[in-house]
Amino acid sequence: MSVPHQLSAAAAQHVGHFRLSSDQQRQLAKRLTAFLSSYSRLSDSYIIEFFTEDLWHTLPSQWQLVLQDLSYPHIADLLLDATNGDRRYPSVWPLSLLAFRATAHALAFPRECRQERGRVSGSVKPEEFTENQSQSSLLGHIFRKHVKPKKQHEIRKLGMLVKQLCDQTECHRVVDVGSGQGHLSRFLSFGLGLSVTAIEADHTLVAMASRFDGQLMWVLEKEKQKKNGSSLLPASQSSPCHVAGWVNPKASWEAFIKQLSAADCVSEGPSTPCGPSKKKLRGSTRREHVVSAHSSTDSEPRSQDIEMTSQHRESAENSCRCVKPVREAGGHHPDFVLTGLHACGDLSTTLLRHFVHCPHVRGITSVACCYMKITTKENPAPPGLVEPPTPPGPAQELAQAEFGYPMSSWVRGVPGHQLSYKAREGACHAVEDYVRRLREESELLRTHCYRAMLETFIRDVRPDLRRAGIQTIKKSHLLTFTEYARLGLARIGLPPDLPLDPERVEAMLKQQGRVVVYFSLALLLAPVVETLVLLDRMMYLQENGVDSQLVPLFDPNFSPRNFVSLP
């Protein structure tokens, strides 16, 4: 492997800023593609083939010598942690390895959100979870029910950003695409007073979202009765409108608007009793008051309209630039702001295209995930791609094929821009979580070695069976390899009592450290791949006359896919 040494220093001039000029974007794209092309063998490799493909010996021999005996904490400090300023090397590293690490860190967009800098070292969860590890102190209690801590953190921060954007655009209608169980939609509607349409392809999730809405409304009704005896909710704000529908990435924005206009909202209220009175709010679609997003852990929700703290306002004002000028549009559909919290695969790129082309979309906040499910010219139907429930009609098809990556014509024309399925899948891994495991010397680190070992025994009896989908074996790190192998073999239809040479097993177990080192080298490229994907989207918007920026809105230790695209 050769390293383009000049990349490191030059790259550092660009990635410190999330708002880049057109020329800066192009220069950064060139450097990213050149660097990733040089190390495509590393980013494209599968760790489960560590033994079958002899991956260790694909590394430069000088790298092998200095890396093979590293302790797990040393791997974290010397390779993966970009912020570590006190690196003490047990041996002299070759310049090519130092340049590789430095370039990878310099090219990747910084993932740390500004307000989390300076947090106590080693702390995993944000400060809002200091008092209670499972309850955000900054989110009203009615929005925490059914919601895991990670999602509480996300819906609070993204919700505040959407609210600020709506205020800037003077547009208080929001379309939440890929809304799932409606946690973000509920906060936007009941908590922030916005008019929300939530669209989700999974009918089961839509039904759950509607039921949870009813439960929240029941709580609001009870609070109203406690305060003044009234049993009616005022008609000041409506509850979210839930739409069961699949957003076709190949459909035009006109088809999307038609889908929103023609869809029937699901608003059934709770299907099961929500409290002691077993009262259902079927038919009631209004709420009592705006509940503060910054209420403490008190049991009573606040009744006054929401007030932004100075910290949140500063964050929102520095982040919200996702605004288009108001345009005259035909038709009678009202304007709205688009949002998507971890919209999977091509869904995120579809939202950006609708933002660019649809005159009704006034702004957008987009948080992407599942980069491996993005379509490319080389891989137009990647594994896990969500297929339409029914074949789309001819009127919905785009005039030309458009893929999830690359979106921009500039990146499309740069030699070596291609990103494999494996490289994009690797970009979804949580670097911060792996660093934590390394420093704790967690037993979880043996999982990759176990799976790579099992791959060798599978191919001994079935050479044609490569990378079989065994899926996660629960608590595999607590099992012996023999126990793990029996469970894994049974899942792919092979005899669970397949003979395993004990000497061979022992020899491979001794290489667990090398497996971890190799995986860490590949993981070092994950943020670089993500940066190229997100930069391509910035350039697509730039090519369509929209300046944009990326904001690391969430705490990356808590929510790894933390970048928000803000045109």
Side-chain angles (χ1 to χ4, degrees), residues 274-546:
C274 303
S277 68
K278 300 184 180 180
K279 179 179 179 181
K280 298 180 181 180
L281 299 182
R282 197 178 296 274
S284 175
T285 60
R286 305 295 180 183
R287 70 167 176 81
E288 176 187 9
H289 50 248
V290 178
V291 181
S292 173
H294 307 297
S295 61
S296 64
T297 53
D298 297 338
S299 58
E300 297 285 332
R302 296 182 183 177
S303 59
Q304 67 268 32
D305 286 351
I306 188 166
E307 292 289 334
M308 279 191 180
T309 65
S310 59
Q311 181 185 39
H312 284 117
R313 184 171 298 279
E314 178 186 9
S315 173
E317 289 175 350
N318 288 333
S319 301
C320 282
R321 297 294 181 269
C322 34
V323 181
K324 291 191 301 185
V326 179
R327 295 179 289 181
E328 295 296 328
H332 302 287
H333 195 278
D335 288 356
F336 57 89
V337 168
L338 266 177
T339 190
L341 176 54
H342 292 146
C344 183
D346 278 354
L347 188 53
S348 290
T349 60
T350 300
L351 298 186
L352 291 177
R353 287 193 170 100
H354 288 339
F355 168 73
V356 166
H357 298 295
C358 178
H360 299 290
V361 184
R362 298 278 292 278
I364 185 173
T365 62
S366 175
V367 187
C369 74
C370 302
Y371 301 123
M372 65 284 194
K373 296 181 182 179
I374 297 172
T375 57
T376 66
K377 183 178 181 180
E378 299 78 20
N379 195 9
L385 182 68
V386 178
E387 296 293 340
T390 56
Q396 291 183 321
E397 296 293 342
L398 290 173
Q400 59 184 25
E402 292 182 324
F403 298 105
Y405 175 84
M407 293 185 71
S408 69
S409 59
W410 174 264
V411 172
R412 198 179 304 128
V414 176
H417 72 268
Q418 293 82 359
L419 294 174
S420 69
Y421 173 88
K422 182 62 184 68
R424 289 179 281 116
E425 187 271 336
C428 294
H429 289 187
V431 177
E432 293 80 9
D433 181 65
Y434 203 71
V435 167
R436 200 156 45 243
R437 293 184 186 185
L438 289 168
R439 289 187 171 137
E440 295 172 355
E441 300 186 87
S442 170
E443 293 180 337
L444 292 168
L445 294 169
R446 71 179 56 163
T447 304
H448 285 134
C449 186
Y450 272 12
R451 181 61 185 88
M453 293 167 62
L454 182 58
E455 186 76 5
T456 65
F457 292 107
I458 292 173
R459 295 194 191 183
D460 284 346
V461 295
R462 285 284 305 278
D464 61 310
L465 194 57
R466 302 169 60 89
R467 308 172 194 158
I470 292 177
Q471 305 305 321
T472 302
I473 295 178
K474 291 184 179 180
K475 298 183 178 180
S476 59
H477 61 288
L478 301 179
L479 306 175
T480 65
F481 174 71
T482 300
E483 294 170 330
Y484 172 88
R486 287 174 180 170
L487 294 173
L489 291 168
R491 290 190 177 187
I492 57 176
L494 292 178
D497 57 351
L498 188 73
L500 305 175
D501 181 357
E503 292 185 1
R504 191 178 176 195
V505 168
E506 185 64 24
M508 286 189 286
L509 282 174
K510 290 181 179 179
Q511 297 191 60
Q512 178 179 315
R514 294 183 177 185
V515 175
V516 172
V517 167
Y518 190 91
F519 182 80
S520 298
L521 289 170
L523 189 59
L524 192 56
L525 295 173
V528 185
V529 174
E530 181 177 39
T531 296
L532 179 56
V533 172
L534 297 178
L535 177 65
D536 169 61
R537 297 177 183 184
M538 292 179 70
M539 299 183 76
Y540 166 79
L541 293 171
Q542 181 74 36
E543 291 172 355
N544 284 276
V546 180

Side-chain angles (χ1 to χ4, degrees), residues 106-127:
L107 285 174
F109 285 129
R111 293 162 49 79
E112 186 181 28
C113 49
R114 183 176 61 181
Q115 294 174 2
E116 296 297 336
R117 292 172 187 169
R119 194 179 57 184
V120 177
S121 177
S123 176
V124 176
K125 293 186 177 181
E127 291 182 1

Side-chain angles (χ1 to χ4, degrees), residues 145 211 215 218 270-280:
K145 188 175 183 180
R211 185 169 72 251
Q215 293 175 359
W218 184 88
S271 59
T272 57
C274 303
S277 68
K278 300 184 180 180
K279 179 179 179 181
K280 298 180 181 180

